[in-house]
């Protein structure tokens, strides 16, 4: 029962409740450590809309599971990876800049060609990040800054700014 209360049922990542609690804990910790910075990285998976429209929601779900697995494997033991909403996954460091997944089995592969052949489109993450050098901000403000950073990167990529 406890697992159900704290985990996203699709990806098995931590849910928003756990994320918000840990964010408050880490902000408090950063305030009392003068050389401690706290960063948030927000991840959006490029190509998910196309996967869902072309291959169906089951294929999209398998891709999300694969990306979640890759993110969990890419962070330190004490970092938090959580699924906050329908389109966003948060993770604390971008150790893999272009992970790929195969919707047939949910596994990730570094081979762009395999993903493009299978899906007709490449999957990959876009990142937005924000850092507080001293913990002197609210968790919601830090998250909002990371989301704005993500949105700016998306608009820049699409040539809107």
């Amino acid at each position: 029962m406890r697992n159900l209360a704290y985990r996203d049922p699709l990806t098995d990542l931590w849910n928003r409740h756990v994320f918000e609690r840990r964010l408050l804990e880490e902000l408090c910790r950063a305030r009392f450590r003068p050389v401690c910075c706290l960063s948030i990285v927000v991840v959006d998976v490029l190509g998910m809309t196309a996967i869902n429209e072309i291959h169906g929601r089951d294929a999209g779900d398998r891709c999300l599971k694969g990306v979640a697995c890759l993110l969990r494997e890419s962070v330190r033991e004490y970092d938090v990876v959580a699924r906050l909403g329908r389109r966003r996954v948060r993770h604390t460091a971008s150790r893999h800049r272009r992970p790929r997944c195969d919707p047939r089995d949910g596994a990730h592969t570094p081979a762009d060609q395999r993903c493009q052949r299978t899906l007709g489109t490449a999957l990959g993450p876009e990142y937005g990040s924000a850092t507080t050098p001293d913990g002197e901000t609210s968790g919601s403000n830090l998250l909002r800054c990371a989301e704005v950073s993500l949105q700016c990167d998306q608009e820049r990529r699409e040539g809107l700014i």
Side-chain angles (χ1 to χ4, degrees):
M1 283 303 257
R2 178 178 240 176
N3 198 35
L4 293 174
Y6 299 126
R7 295 282 184 176
D8 173 69
L10 176 63
T11 61
D12 198 39
L13 295 176
W14 295 116
N15 64 20
R16 180 177 287 277
H17 173 76
V18 173
F19 168 76
E20 289 174 348
R21 186 186 48 153
R22 286 293 311 277
L23 180 56
L24 287 175
E25 291 170 3
E26 294 302 324
L27 282 168
C28 287
R29 188 182 336 264
R31 285 185 190 112
F32 294 106
R33 289 188 177 163
V35 293
C36 183
C37 292
L38 177 65
S39 296
I40 292 181
V41 178
V42 178
V43 180
D44 191 16
V45 182
L46 289 170
M48 284 304 303
T49 302
I51 298 305
N52 286 329
E53 289 174 358
I54 296 167
H55 300 283
R57 297 266 181 222
D58 288 342
D61 288 352
R62 287 190 299 274
C63 283
L64 283 178
K65 288 177 186 179
V67 170
C69 180
L70 179 63
L71 292 173
R72 271 193 309 269
E73 293 171 355
S74 300
V75 299
R76 300 166 296 191
E77 183 178 319
Y78 52 85
D79 289 336
V80 176
V81 180
R83 185 170 186 215
L84 300 185
R86 197 172 63 92
R87 294 186 56 220
R88 289 201 167 81
V89 176
R90 180 251 185 212
H91 101 293
T92 59
S94 57
R95 289 173 177 73
H96 294 277
R97 293 302 298 172
R98 302 283 300 169
R100 305 291 183 198
C101 77
D102 184 334
R104 293 175 297 182
D105 60 12
H108 63 277
T109 172
D112 290 349
Q113 298 81 16
R114 179 177 174 200
C115 193
Q116 290 171 349
R117 240 188 354 263
T118 303
L119 306 173
T121 186
L123 282 178
E126 285 186 314
Y127 300 96
S129 63
T131 299
T132 179
D134 54 12
E136 293 299 324
T137 188
S138 70
S140 60
N141 188 47
L142 190 61
L143 180 58
R144 190 176 314 111
C145 288
E147 289 174 339
V148 167
S149 172
L150 172 66
Q151 184 177 0
C152 287
D153 284 349
Q154 289 171 333
E155 290 173 355
R156 191 175 303 111
R157 180 184 49 81
E158 294 169 1
L160 300 175
I161 57 174

